[in-house]
Amino acid sequence: MRIRTILSIILAAAFISSTTVHAQIIYGQPGRVGLQFYQSSWNLGGQDGSDQSITQRTFNLSGFIPLRENIEARCQILSGFNTLEYGDEEDDLSGLGDLRIQISRSISQDRHLLSAGINLPLGSKEFDAEDDGRIVEFLSHDFLTLPMRRFGAGLGFNIQVGTATELDRFKCGISAVYDHLGAYTPYEDAGDYNPGDALSVNATVGTTSGKRHYTGDFGFSLFGTDTLEEDDIYKQAPQFSTRLMAVNQGAKYCTTLGARLVMRGRNKRYSLTNGEIDSQLKKYGNEIGGFARLTFTARDVWNIGAMAGIKKIMANEEELDAATVLNLGLDFTRSINDRQTFDAGMIYYTGTADGGELDLSGFQLSCGISRSY
């Protein structure tokens, strides 16, 4: 029974264990260190009168270091504090995430990019499946927006290559990322869990017409097979995503419209007894969403933004029906001086999940400070 509990938690976390790498060389950009704080709260009210709520407090420490011309380094580490309330019960789970370091180099007049990163396993691991598993499963819900979903993992690395060119009025780019995370022990008595490697390919095309800029991103990801004590247990489905954006830049105002589509295949679960495929079902449904954002610059030191968005998640094939989440946000950024910047924001969420069986409400508050040198 205990190994089944541990296995179900590991599979729930599989969706949130993949990583995304961003790297771009900007000439003359100064070094920077920043600290960001988030407080996120969600409430799930069931039609049967049941009620669940989670509160997460997250600290994000990040740094950017220009090593020399055309070479930069970025690093990031998170820590999270979670409280889950359900009925008269309350669970707490706190921990540190891994330290991630990424070094990037541009060549051939910034037309080609080479990047390599390492995941240093400093984060929290070997949780108790009975005491901590409920929160880990809760964090895996795809209809919730939370800054930190994963704690510690194994020693890993990633390699990224990219190239860009101009074709008439269009600026085009393509990149590929190979991501590997080594084995680690996520829960006590669980044994060595080894997430499957991931390979992602992303293509971007953009063009400008007057004050308007249009961008399209298209990505495809493949995932290897997860193993537990060298036995196959899970294989995440291939994923296709695309995002379209239009930006209208004025003297004081900037308007952005965007839409996103994510399509997923069927995951494979393997039998613990004979290693054969147990099931091939969608654990997470396809997604479609859109947003509109307006940014206003005041007195050359204030940037004020307002945003509205919607996300629709289709039903999966395991347990949950469709979900719809709306969000409204407001944020502020102010330059304290030529080296320090302060920002704050708030987002309100509302919607339904599991085909209307769950009423969703949530909010996120954030504030941060960064300093260049």
Side-chain angles (χ1 to χ4, degrees), residues 98-133:
D98 291 340
L99 174 62
R100 304 204 65 194
I101 302 173
Q102 193 81 25
I103 298 177
S104 304
R105 174 180 173 81
S106 67
I107 57 178
S108 300
Q109 297 180 333
D110 296 338
R111 291 190 177 274
H112 306 298
L113 177 72
L114 302 176
S115 184
I118 186 169
N119 186 88
L120 297 177
L122 305 181
S124 303
K125 294 179 283 290
E126 297 194 40
F127 295 119
D128 185 280
E130 302 294 341
D131 295 337
D132 306 321

PDB file of all heavy atoms in Angstrom, residues 98-133:
ATOM      1  N   ASP A  98      16.239  23.535  -5.933  1.00  0.00           N
ATOM      2  CA  ASP A  98      17.628  23.380  -6.349  1.00  0.00           C
ATOM      3  C   ASP A  98      18.195  24.701  -6.880  1.00  0.00           C
ATOM      4  O   ASP A  98      17.454  25.592  -7.316  1.00  0.00           O
ATOM      5  CB  ASP A  98      17.744  22.316  -7.443  1.00  0.00           C
ATOM      6  CG  ASP A  98      17.463  20.923  -6.911  1.00  0.00           C
ATOM      7  OD1 ASP A  98      17.558  20.734  -5.686  1.00  0.00           O
ATOM      8  OD2 ASP A  98      17.149  20.038  -7.718  1.00  0.00           O
ATOM      9  N   LEU A  99      19.512  24.808  -6.852  1.00  0.00           N
ATOM     10  CA  LEU A  99      20.213  25.950  -7.439  1.00  0.00           C
ATOM     11  C   LEU A  99      20.461  25.668  -8.911  1.00  0.00           C
ATOM     12  O   LEU A  99      21.041  24.633  -9.269  1.00  0.00           O
ATOM     13  CB  LEU A  99      21.543  26.192  -6.721  1.00  0.00           C
ATOM     14  CG  LEU A  99      22.454  27.269  -7.331  1.00  0.00           C
ATOM     15  CD1 LEU A  99      21.778  28.640  -7.297  1.00  0.00           C
ATOM     16  CD2 LEU A  99      23.791  27.305  -6.605  1.00  0.00           C
ATOM     17  N   ARG A 100      20.009  26.581  -9.769  1.00  0.00           N
ATOM     18  CA  ARG A 100      20.180  26.426 -11.212  1.00  0.00           C
ATOM     19  C   ARG A 100      21.111  27.517 -11.729  1.00  0.00           C
ATOM     20  O   ARG A 100      20.916  28.702 -11.442  1.00  0.00           O
ATOM     21  CB  ARG A 100      18.845  26.485 -11.931  1.00  0.00           C
ATOM     22  CG  ARG A 100      17.832  25.465 -11.443  1.00  0.00           C
ATOM     23  CD  ARG A 100      16.804  25.170 -12.495  1.00  0.00           C
ATOM     24  NE  ARG A 100      17.422  24.533 -13.633  1.00  0.00           N
ATOM     25  CZ  ARG A 100      16.822  24.406 -14.815  1.00  0.00           C
ATOM     26  NH1 ARG A 100      15.621  24.912 -14.999  1.00  0.00           N
ATOM     27  NH2 ARG A 100      17.433  23.811 -15.815  1.00  0.00           N
ATOM     28  N   ILE A 101      22.114  27.109 -12.486  1.00  0.00           N
ATOM     29  CA  ILE A 101      23.086  28.026 -13.066  1.00  0.00           C
ATOM     30  C   ILE A 101      23.125  27.795 -14.576  1.00  0.00           C
ATOM     31  O   ILE A 101      23.223  26.651 -15.031  1.00  0.00           O
ATOM     32  CB  ILE A 101      24.488  27.823 -12.454  1.00  0.00           C
ATOM     33  CG1 ILE A 101      24.443  28.031 -10.940  1.00  0.00           C
ATOM     34  CG2 ILE A 101      25.500  28.773 -13.092  1.00  0.00           C
ATOM     35  CD1 ILE A 101      25.752  27.695 -10.244  1.00  0.00           C
ATOM     36  N   GLN A 102      23.039  28.874 -15.350  1.00  0.00           N
ATOM     37  CA  GLN A 102      23.032  28.796 -16.805  1.00  0.00           C
ATOM     38  C   GLN A 102      24.078  29.753 -17.367  1.00  0.00           C
ATOM     39  O   GLN A 102      24.096  30.937 -17.010  1.00  0.00           O
ATOM     40  CB  GLN A 102      21.638  29.164 -17.352  1.00  0.00           C
ATOM     41  CG  GLN A 102      21.426  28.825 -18.804  1.00  0.00           C
ATOM     42  CD  GLN A 102      21.081  27.351 -18.994  1.00  0.00           C
ATOM     43  OE1 GLN A 102      20.570  26.713 -18.069  1.00  0.00           O
ATOM     44  NE2 GLN A 102      21.357  26.822 -20.178  1.00  0.00           N
ATOM     45  N   ILE A 103      24.959  29.261 -18.215  1.00  0.00           N
ATOM     46  CA  ILE A 103      25.974  30.091 -18.868  1.00  0.00           C
ATOM     47  C   ILE A 103      25.719  30.075 -20.371  1.00  0.00           C
ATOM     48  O   ILE A 103      25.552  29.001 -20.970  1.00  0.00           O
ATOM     49  CB  ILE A 103      27.395  29.594 -18.549  1.00  0.00           C
ATOM     50  CG1 ILE A 103      27.656  29.681 -17.046  1.00  0.00           C
ATOM     51  CG2 ILE A 103      28.440  30.412 -19.312  1.00  0.00           C
ATOM     52  CD1 ILE A 103      29.011  29.149 -16.624  1.00  0.00           C
ATOM     53  N   SER A 104      25.658  31.268 -20.983  1.00  0.00           N
ATOM     54  CA  SER A 104      25.316  31.387 -22.392  1.00  0.00           C
ATOM     55  C   SER A 104      26.358  32.212 -23.125  1.00  0.00           C
ATOM     56  O   SER A 104      26.927  33.153 -22.569  1.00  0.00           O
ATOM     57  CB  SER A 104      23.933  32.040 -22.548  1.00  0.00           C
ATOM     58  OG  SER A 104      22.946  31.326 -21.832  1.00  0.00           O
ATOM     59  N   ARG A 105      26.567  31.862 -24.388  1.00  0.00           N
ATOM     60  CA  ARG A 105      27.509  32.588 -25.232  1.00  0.00           C
ATOM     61  C   ARG A 105      26.895  32.780 -26.616  1.00  0.00           C
ATOM     62  O   ARG A 105      26.345  31.824 -27.193  1.00  0.00           O
ATOM     63  CB  ARG A 105      28.830  31.838 -25.357  1.00  0.00           C
ATOM     64  CG  ARG A 105      29.810  32.482 -26.358  1.00  0.00           C
ATOM     65  CD  ARG A 105      31.114  31.716 -26.452  1.00  0.00           C
ATOM     66  NE  ARG A 105      31.966  32.232 -27.512  1.00  0.00           N
ATOM     67  CZ  ARG A 105      32.742  33.303 -27.404  1.00  0.00           C
ATOM     68  NH1 ARG A 105      32.768  33.981 -26.266  1.00  0.00           N
ATOM     69  NH2 ARG A 105      33.501  33.702 -28.412  1.00  0.00           N
ATOM     70  N   SER A 106      26.984  33.984 -27.135  1.00  0.00           N
ATOM     71  CA  SER A 106      26.546  34.253 -28.497  1.00  0.00           C
ATOM     72  C   SER A 106      27.768  34.375 -29.400  1.00  0.00           C
ATOM     73  O   SER A 106      28.826  34.857 -28.985  1.00  0.00           O
ATOM     74  CB  SER A 106      25.714  35.538 -28.567  1.00  0.00           C
ATOM     75  OG  SER A 106      26.514  36.666 -28.276  1.00  0.00           O
ATOM     76  N   ILE A 107      27.626  33.932 -30.639  1.00  0.00           N
ATOM     77  CA  ILE A 107      28.712  33.990 -31.608  1.00  0.00           C
ATOM     78  C   ILE A 107      28.167  34.473 -32.946  1.00  0.00           C
ATOM     79  O   ILE A 107      26.946  34.562 -33.133  1.00  0.00           O
ATOM     80  CB  ILE A 107      29.395  32.608 -31.772  1.00  0.00           C
ATOM     81  CG1 ILE A 107      28.366  31.548 -32.178  1.00  0.00           C
ATOM     82  CG2 ILE A 107      30.093  32.202 -30.483  1.00  0.00           C
ATOM     83  CD1 ILE A 107      28.965  30.171 -32.404  1.00  0.00           C
ATOM     84  N   SER A 108      29.073  34.792 -33.857  1.00  0.00           N
ATOM     85  CA  SER A 108      28.710  35.236 -35.212  1.00  0.00           C
ATOM     86  C   SER A 108      27.751  36.409 -35.165  1.00  0.00           C
ATOM     87  O   SER A 108      26.655  36.366 -35.734  1.00  0.00           O
ATOM     88  CB  SER A 108      28.111  34.084 -36.023  1.00  0.00           C
ATOM     89  OG  SER A 108      29.019  33.020 -36.138  1.00  0.00           O
ATOM     90  N   GLN A 109      28.179  37.472 -34.439  1.00  0.00           N
ATOM     91  CA  GLN A 109      27.381  38.701 -34.330  1.00  0.00           C
ATOM     92  C   GLN A 109      25.982  38.419 -33.788  1.00  0.00           C
ATOM     93  O   GLN A 109      24.982  38.913 -34.307  1.00  0.00           O
ATOM     94  CB  GLN A 109      27.294  39.412 -35.682  1.00  0.00           C
ATOM     95  CG  GLN A 109      28.651  39.869 -36.199  1.00  0.00           C
ATOM     96  CD  GLN A 109      28.558  40.576 -37.538  1.00  0.00           C
ATOM     97  OE1 GLN A 109      27.637  40.329 -38.313  1.00  0.00           O
ATOM     98  NE2 GLN A 109      29.515  41.453 -37.811  1.00  0.00           N
ATOM     99  N   ASP A 110      25.938  37.618 -32.744  1.00  0.00           N
ATOM    100  CA  ASP A 110      24.706  37.302 -32.010  1.00  0.00           C
ATOM    101  C   ASP A 110      23.685  36.513 -32.822  1.00  0.00           C
ATOM    102  O   ASP A 110      22.512  36.454 -32.455  1.00  0.00           O
ATOM    103  CB  ASP A 110      24.038  38.589 -31.481  1.00  0.00           C
ATOM    104  CG  ASP A 110      24.908  39.296 -30.469  1.00  0.00           C
ATOM    105  OD1 ASP A 110      25.774  38.633 -29.884  1.00  0.00           O
ATOM    106  OD2 ASP A 110      24.712  40.507 -30.271  1.00  0.00           O
ATOM    107  N   ARG A 111      24.116  35.862 -33.879  1.00  0.00           N
ATOM    108  CA  ARG A 111      23.183  35.061 -34.673  1.00  0.00           C
ATOM    109  C   ARG A 111      23.078  33.626 -34.172  1.00  0.00           C
ATOM    110  O   ARG A 111      22.131  32.923 -34.498  1.00  0.00           O
ATOM    111  CB  ARG A 111      23.580  35.080 -36.150  1.00  0.00           C
ATOM    112  CG  ARG A 111      23.367  36.443 -36.801  1.00  0.00           C
ATOM    113  CD  ARG A 111      23.532  36.371 -38.300  1.00  0.00           C
ATOM    114  NE  ARG A 111      23.247  37.660 -38.919  1.00  0.00           N
ATOM    115  CZ  ARG A 111      22.046  38.074 -39.274  1.00  0.00           C
ATOM    116  NH1 ARG A 111      20.998  37.295 -39.064  1.00  0.00           N
ATOM    117  NH2 ARG A 111      21.871  39.258 -39.837  1.00  0.00           N
ATOM    118  N   HIS A 112      24.052  33.186 -33.405  1.00  0.00           N
ATOM    119  CA  HIS A 112      24.027  31.823 -32.874  1.00  0.00           C
ATOM    120  C   HIS A 112      24.222  31.869 -31.361  1.00  0.00           C
ATOM    121  O   HIS A 112      24.953  32.717 -30.849  1.00  0.00           O
ATOM    122  CB  HIS A 112      25.120  30.962 -33.510  1.00  0.00           C
ATOM    123  CG  HIS A 112      25.088  30.953 -35.010  1.00  0.00           C
ATOM    124  ND1 HIS A 112      24.024  30.469 -35.735  1.00  0.00           N
ATOM    125  CD2 HIS A 112      26.004  31.395 -35.909  1.00  0.00           C
ATOM    126  CE1 HIS A 112      24.275  30.583 -37.021  1.00  0.00           C
ATOM    127  NE2 HIS A 112      25.475  31.158 -37.155  1.00  0.00           N
ATOM    128  N   LEU A 113      23.575  30.941 -30.681  1.00  0.00           N
ATOM    129  CA  LEU A 113      23.619  30.896 -29.219  1.00  0.00           C
ATOM    130  C   LEU A 113      23.994  29.497 -28.757  1.00  0.00           C
ATOM    131  O   LEU A 113      23.435  28.503 -29.216  1.00  0.00           O
ATOM    132  CB  LEU A 113      22.263  31.283 -28.624  1.00  0.00           C
ATOM    133  CG  LEU A 113      22.148  31.208 -27.099  1.00  0.00           C
ATOM    134  CD1 LEU A 113      22.924  32.338 -26.442  1.00  0.00           C
ATOM    135  CD2 LEU A 113      20.684  31.251 -26.662  1.00  0.00           C
ATOM    136  N   LEU A 114      24.941  29.431 -27.842  1.00  0.00           N
ATOM    137  CA  LEU A 114      25.303  28.188 -27.167  1.00  0.00           C
ATOM    138  C   LEU A 114      25.106  28.388 -25.677  1.00  0.00           C
ATOM    139  O   LEU A 114      25.529  29.407 -25.128  1.00  0.00           O
ATOM    140  CB  LEU A 114      26.765  27.820 -27.458  1.00  0.00           C
ATOM    141  CG  LEU A 114      27.156  27.632 -28.918  1.00  0.00           C
ATOM    142  CD1 LEU A 114      28.658  27.378 -29.031  1.00  0.00           C
ATOM    143  CD2 LEU A 114      26.374  26.484 -29.548  1.00  0.00           C
ATOM    144  N   SER A 115      24.479  27.432 -25.018  1.00  0.00           N
ATOM    145  CA  SER A 115      24.174  27.598 -23.608  1.00  0.00           C
ATOM    146  C   SER A 115      24.243  26.250 -22.902  1.00  0.00           C
ATOM    147  O   SER A 115      23.866  25.222 -23.462  1.00  0.00           O
ATOM    148  CB  SER A 115      22.786  28.217 -23.425  1.00  0.00           C
ATOM    149  OG  SER A 115      22.502  28.461 -22.071  1.00  0.00           O
ATOM    150  N   ALA A 116      24.750  26.272 -21.669  1.00  0.00           N
ATOM    151  CA  ALA A 116      24.814  25.058 -20.857  1.00  0.00           C
ATOM    152  C   ALA A 116      24.446  25.411 -19.424  1.00  0.00           C
ATOM    153  O   ALA A 116      24.817  26.474 -18.921  1.00  0.00           O
ATOM    154  CB  ALA A 116      26.208  24.429 -20.915  1.00  0.00           C
ATOM    155  N   GLY A 117      23.716  24.527 -18.784  1.00  0.00           N
ATOM    156  CA  GLY A 117      23.275  24.787 -17.417  1.00  0.00           C
ATOM    157  C   GLY A 117      23.435  23.566 -16.545  1.00  0.00           C
ATOM    158  O   GLY A 117      23.560  22.436 -17.025  1.00  0.00           O
ATOM    159  N   ILE A 118      23.421  23.807 -15.250  1.00  0.00           N
ATOM    160  CA  ILE A 118      23.543  22.719 -14.281  1.00  0.00           C
ATOM    161  C   ILE A 118      22.505  22.906 -13.188  1.00  0.00           C
ATOM    162  O   ILE A 118      22.194  24.037 -12.791  1.00  0.00           O
ATOM    163  CB  ILE A 118      24.978  22.662 -13.686  1.00  0.00           C
ATOM    164  CG1 ILE A 118      25.132  21.433 -12.778  1.00  0.00           C
ATOM    165  CG2 ILE A 118      25.312  23.942 -12.936  1.00  0.00           C
ATOM    166  CD1 ILE A 118      26.565  21.165 -12.364  1.00  0.00           C
ATOM    167  N   ASN A 119      21.933  21.806 -12.752  1.00  0.00           N
ATOM    168  CA  ASN A 119      20.989  21.790 -11.637  1.00  0.00           C
ATOM    169  C   ASN A 119      21.702  21.173 -10.443  1.00  0.00           C
ATOM    170  O   ASN A 119      21.997  19.975 -10.420  1.00  0.00           O
ATOM    171  CB  ASN A 119      19.749  20.972 -12.001  1.00  0.00           C
ATOM    172  CG  ASN A 119      18.676  21.030 -10.942  1.00  0.00           C
ATOM    173  OD1 ASN A 119      17.840  21.921 -10.946  1.00  0.00           O
ATOM    174  ND2 ASN A 119      18.681  20.079 -10.011  1.00  0.00           N
ATOM    175  N   LEU A 120      22.033  22.001  -9.442  1.00  0.00           N
ATOM    176  CA  LEU A 120      22.737  21.523  -8.260  1.00  0.00           C
ATOM    177  C   LEU A 120      21.720  21.083  -7.213  1.00  0.00           C
ATOM    178  O   LEU A 120      20.865  21.874  -6.800  1.00  0.00           O
ATOM    179  CB  LEU A 120      23.636  22.625  -7.691  1.00  0.00           C
ATOM    180  CG  LEU A 120      24.759  23.086  -8.629  1.00  0.00           C
ATOM    181  CD1 LEU A 120      25.548  24.232  -7.999  1.00  0.00           C
ATOM    182  CD2 LEU A 120      25.684  21.929  -8.982  1.00  0.00           C
ATOM    183  N   PRO A 121      21.768  19.829  -6.767  1.00  0.00           N
ATOM    184  CA  PRO A 121      20.711  19.266  -5.906  1.00  0.00           C
ATOM    185  C   PRO A 121      20.812  19.731  -4.452  1.00  0.00           C
ATOM    186  O   PRO A 121      21.129  18.958  -3.544  1.00  0.00           O
ATOM    187  CB  PRO A 121      20.940  17.758  -6.034  1.00  0.00           C
ATOM    188  CG  PRO A 121      22.405  17.635  -6.303  1.00  0.00           C
ATOM    189  CD  PRO A 121      22.787  18.829  -7.121  1.00  0.00           C
ATOM    190  N   LEU A 122      20.495  21.017  -4.246  1.00  0.00           N
ATOM    191  CA  LEU A 122      20.499  21.582  -2.897  1.00  0.00           C
ATOM    192  C   LEU A 122      19.116  21.558  -2.258  1.00  0.00           C
ATOM    193  O   LEU A 122      18.972  21.842  -1.069  1.00  0.00           O
ATOM    194  CB  LEU A 122      21.003  23.028  -2.935  1.00  0.00           C
ATOM    195  CG  LEU A 122      22.368  23.278  -3.589  1.00  0.00           C
ATOM    196  CD1 LEU A 122      22.718  24.756  -3.523  1.00  0.00           C
ATOM    197  CD2 LEU A 122      23.441  22.435  -2.933  1.00  0.00           C
ATOM    198  N   GLY A 123      18.081  21.242  -3.051  1.00  0.00           N
ATOM    199  CA  GLY A 123      16.710  21.348  -2.579  1.00  0.00           C
ATOM    200  C   GLY A 123      16.296  20.216  -1.646  1.00  0.00           C
ATOM    201  O   GLY A 123      16.999  19.222  -1.456  1.00  0.00           O
ATOM    202  N   SER A 124      15.108  20.387  -1.075  1.00  0.00           N
ATOM    203  CA  SER A 124      14.562  19.432  -0.113  1.00  0.00           C
ATOM    204  C   SER A 124      14.097  18.166  -0.821  1.00  0.00           C
ATOM    205  O   SER A 124      13.455  18.215  -1.875  1.00  0.00           O
ATOM    206  CB  SER A 124      13.400  20.063   0.643  1.00  0.00           C
ATOM    207  OG  SER A 124      13.808  21.259   1.279  1.00  0.00           O
ATOM    208  N   LYS A 125      14.406  17.015  -0.242  1.00  0.00           N
ATOM    209  CA  LYS A 125      14.029  15.715  -0.792  1.00  0.00           C
ATOM    210  C   LYS A 125      13.679  14.773   0.359  1.00  0.00           C
ATOM    211  O   LYS A 125      13.698  15.151   1.516  1.00  0.00           O
ATOM    212  CB  LYS A 125      15.188  15.138  -1.614  1.00  0.00           C
ATOM    213  CG  LYS A 125      15.510  15.932  -2.875  1.00  0.00           C
ATOM    214  CD  LYS A 125      16.669  15.333  -3.647  1.00  0.00           C
ATOM    215  CE  LYS A 125      17.993  15.661  -3.003  1.00  0.00           C
ATOM    216  NZ  LYS A 125      18.353  17.071  -3.118  1.00  0.00           N
ATOM    217  N   GLU A 126      13.381  13.537   0.000  1.00  0.00           N
ATOM    218  CA  GLU A 126      13.060  12.474   0.960  1.00  0.00           C
ATOM    219  C   GLU A 126      11.958  12.898   1.928  1.00  0.00           C
ATOM    220  O   GLU A 126      12.073  12.786   3.148  1.00  0.00           O
ATOM    221  CB  GLU A 126      14.322  12.027   1.714  1.00  0.00           C
ATOM    222  CG  GLU A 126      15.377  11.426   0.795  1.00  0.00           C
ATOM    223  CD  GLU A 126      16.463  10.696   1.554  1.00  0.00           C
ATOM    224  OE1 GLU A 126      16.151  10.008   2.542  1.00  0.00           O
ATOM    225  OE2 GLU A 126      17.626  10.808   1.138  1.00  0.00           O
ATOM    226  N   PHE A 127      10.844  13.383   1.346  1.00  0.00           N
ATOM    227  CA  PHE A 127       9.679  13.721   2.151  1.00  0.00           C
ATOM    228  C   PHE A 127       9.003  12.442   2.634  1.00  0.00           C
ATOM    229  O   PHE A 127       9.241  11.348   2.120  1.00  0.00           O
ATOM    230  CB  PHE A 127       8.684  14.553   1.337  1.00  0.00           C
ATOM    231  CG  PHE A 127       9.207  15.899   0.928  1.00  0.00           C
ATOM    232  CD1 PHE A 127       9.334  16.242  -0.408  1.00  0.00           C
ATOM    233  CD2 PHE A 127       9.556  16.847   1.881  1.00  0.00           C
ATOM    234  CE1 PHE A 127       9.797  17.485  -0.783  1.00  0.00           C
ATOM    235  CE2 PHE A 127      10.022  18.099   1.521  1.00  0.00           C
ATOM    236  CZ  PHE A 127      10.143  18.418   0.174  1.00  0.00           C
ATOM    237  N   ASP A 128       8.119  12.593   3.601  1.00  0.00           N
ATOM    238  CA  ASP A 128       7.302  11.484   4.083  1.00  0.00           C
ATOM    239  C   ASP A 128       6.037  11.413   3.228  1.00  0.00           C
ATOM    240  O   ASP A 128       5.275  12.369   3.159  1.00  0.00           O
ATOM    241  CB  ASP A 128       6.934  11.684   5.550  1.00  0.00           C
ATOM    242  CG  ASP A 128       6.179  10.489   6.101  1.00  0.00           C
ATOM    243  OD1 ASP A 128       4.960  10.397   5.853  1.00  0.00           O
ATOM    244  OD2 ASP A 128       6.807   9.649   6.765  1.00  0.00           O
ATOM    245  N   ALA A 129       5.816  10.286   2.562  1.00  0.00           N
ATOM    246  CA  ALA A 129       4.699  10.174   1.628  1.00  0.00           C
ATOM    247  C   ALA A 129       3.351  10.346   2.325  1.00  0.00           C
ATOM    248  O   ALA A 129       2.420  10.929   1.760  1.00  0.00           O
ATOM    249  CB  ALA A 129       4.752   8.833   0.903  1.00  0.00           C
ATOM    250  N   GLU A 130       3.222   9.835   3.537  1.00  0.00           N
ATOM    251  CA  GLU A 130       1.946   9.927   4.227  1.00  0.00           C
ATOM    252  C   GLU A 130       1.673  11.348   4.708  1.00  0.00           C
ATOM    253  O   GLU A 130       0.557  11.857   4.593  1.00  0.00           O
ATOM    254  CB  GLU A 130       1.944   8.964   5.428  1.00  0.00           C
ATOM    255  CG  GLU A 130       2.191   7.513   5.061  1.00  0.00           C
ATOM    256  CD  GLU A 130       1.065   6.932   4.228  1.00  0.00           C
ATOM    257  OE1 GLU A 130      -0.044   7.496   4.223  1.00  0.00           O
ATOM    258  OE2 GLU A 130       1.313   5.895   3.570  1.00  0.00           O
ATOM    259  N   ASP A 131       2.686  12.009   5.254  1.00  0.00           N
ATOM    260  CA  ASP A 131       2.491  13.345   5.839  1.00  0.00           C
ATOM    261  C   ASP A 131       2.554  14.463   4.798  1.00  0.00           C
ATOM    262  O   ASP A 131       1.854  15.469   4.926  1.00  0.00           O
ATOM    263  CB  ASP A 131       3.547  13.609   6.920  1.00  0.00           C
ATOM    264  CG  ASP A 131       3.400  12.672   8.113  1.00  0.00           C
ATOM    265  OD1 ASP A 131       2.284  12.157   8.308  1.00  0.00           O
ATOM    266  OD2 ASP A 131       4.394  12.466   8.824  1.00  0.00           O
ATOM    267  N   ASP A 132       3.402  14.307   3.776  1.00  0.00           N
ATOM    268  CA  ASP A 132       3.651  15.393   2.826  1.00  0.00           C
ATOM    269  C   ASP A 132       3.027  15.161   1.456  1.00  0.00           C
ATOM    270  O   ASP A 132       2.933  16.085   0.645  1.00  0.00           O
ATOM    271  CB  ASP A 132       5.165  15.595   2.642  1.00  0.00           C
ATOM    272  CG  ASP A 132       5.892  15.799   3.960  1.00  0.00           C
ATOM    273  OD1 ASP A 132       5.317  16.491   4.828  1.00  0.00           O
ATOM    274  OD2 ASP A 132       7.010  15.287   4.125  1.00  0.00           O
ATOM    275  N   GLY A 133       2.602  13.922   1.199  1.00  0.00           N
ATOM    276  CA  GLY A 133       2.137  13.588  -0.147  1.00  0.00           C
ATOM    277  C   GLY A 133       0.903  14.342  -0.580  1.00  0.00           C
ATOM    278  O   GLY A 133       0.746  14.649  -1.766  1.00  0.00           O
TER     279      GLY A 133
END
